[in-house]
Amino acid sequence: MPLMVVHHPLAQHYLTHLRDETTKPALFRTLTRKLTILLAIEATRELRLTTHAIRTPLMSINSPVLDDDLVVVPILRAGLGMVDAITELFPEVSVGYIGMERDEATAVASSYYRKLPDVTGRTVLLVDPMLATGGSAARALEDLYGQDPLRVQLICVVAAPEGVARLEADFPSLNIFTAALDEGLNDRKYIVPGLGDFGDRLYGTF
């Protein structure tokens, strides 16, 4: 299951308002957080569980608790808008950062910052709202897979077929979770219909 499109009605509702060019940054940030929660729940369905002895008001039981060590890694800057939703769901999660900047002329991503915890044997949630050419994600994934994680799950808001195909070919064990697989890329390598520049819309830097 390398690609999972989350068709939950609420996810699609949030996505419609994220696409809408009239949505203001404050609402855009709120919708991003809410949609990320839905995507993250799908991306963490296979987390390991163990049992923990507790006592209810009526009796003692062994009950399931999470037994997976999680790391969330946003690709800066747009990925930052997805982090709070992950930390709300998983308060003990470790947070790393990878900074990528795309050259607007060549659409090639270059790294300007990298700060990661040890991800060896851990489940990594890589978050980046837009999977376009796959260049930024591929650079980040090279760093992450080089540390031998248990698994890596990429969570994005929208994806283009070109980026999905690249990541599926280069990282066959990667799972991608998104709210939409869009039509493709235009001549500027922007996703269409897409929702514009996610970072600009998130932070109001038009």
Side-chain angles (χ1 to χ4, degrees):
M1 186 197 63
L3 176 67
M4 169 68 175
V5 180
V6 178
H7 292 293
H8 190 287
L10 197 53
Q12 296 305 308
H13 173 81
Y14 292 151
L15 178 59
T16 292
H17 291 288
L18 286 170
R19 291 190 192 275
D20 188 342
E21 66 179 0
T22 67
T23 299
K24 302 299 184 185
L27 178 57
F28 195 91
R29 289 190 287 269
T30 298
L31 293 168
T32 296
R33 176 183 159 278
K34 290 182 176 182
L35 179 54
T36 301
I37 288 174
L38 295 175
L39 295 171
I41 288 172
E42 293 297 330
T44 54
R45 283 188 179 274
E46 296 182 3
L47 292 183
R48 296 172 297 191
L49 293 170
T50 188
T51 57
H52 184 67
I54 64 168
R55 182 168 181 82
T56 77
L58 300 176
M59 62 180 292
S60 296
I61 60 169
N62 291 318
S63 194
V65 292
L66 288 174
D67 190 35
D68 232 317
D69 202 358
L70 283 176
V71 179
V72 60
V73 179
I75 295 180
L76 305 179
R77 70 180 164 148
L80 284 174
M82 304 173 75
V83 172
D84 284 350
I86 307 292
T87 58
E88 181 177 333
L89 287 172
F90 305 101
E92 302 302 319
V93 68
S94 298
V95 183
Y97 299 92
I98 295 178
M100 294 285 180
E101 186 171 20
R102 186 172 90 156
D103 186 305
E104 293 300 325
T106 65
V108 174
S110 59
S111 176
Y112 65 86
Y113 183 75
R114 178 179 179 273
K115 181 70 173 178
L116 296 174
D118 182 10
V119 304
T120 304
R122 304 171 78 179
T123 293
V124 179
L125 305 177
L126 178 65
V127 295
D128 189 13
M130 311 293 284
L131 174 56
T133 66
S136 295
R139 289 286 303 274
L141 289 165
E142 288 171 3
D143 285 346
L144 293 170
Y145 278 117
Q147 294 191 39
D148 196 27
L150 175 66
R151 67 171 73 87
V152 181
Q153 314 280 66
L154 173 62
I155 303 175
C156 53
V157 173
V158 296
E162 295 90 335
V164 171
R166 175 177 179 175
L167 297 187
E168 286 180 340
D170 293 349
F171 307 97
S173 64
L174 175 72
N175 291 320
I176 303 169
F177 296 83
T178 184
L181 182 63
D182 274 8
E183 295 173 11
L185 302 177
N186 65 13
D187 56 0
R188 297 179 59 203
K189 306 300 183 184
Y190 277 84
I191 301 173
V192 290
L195 43 76
D197 186 298
F198 202 97
D200 284 346
R201 297 196 63 195
L202 192 68
Y203 297 113
T205 52
F206 303 104

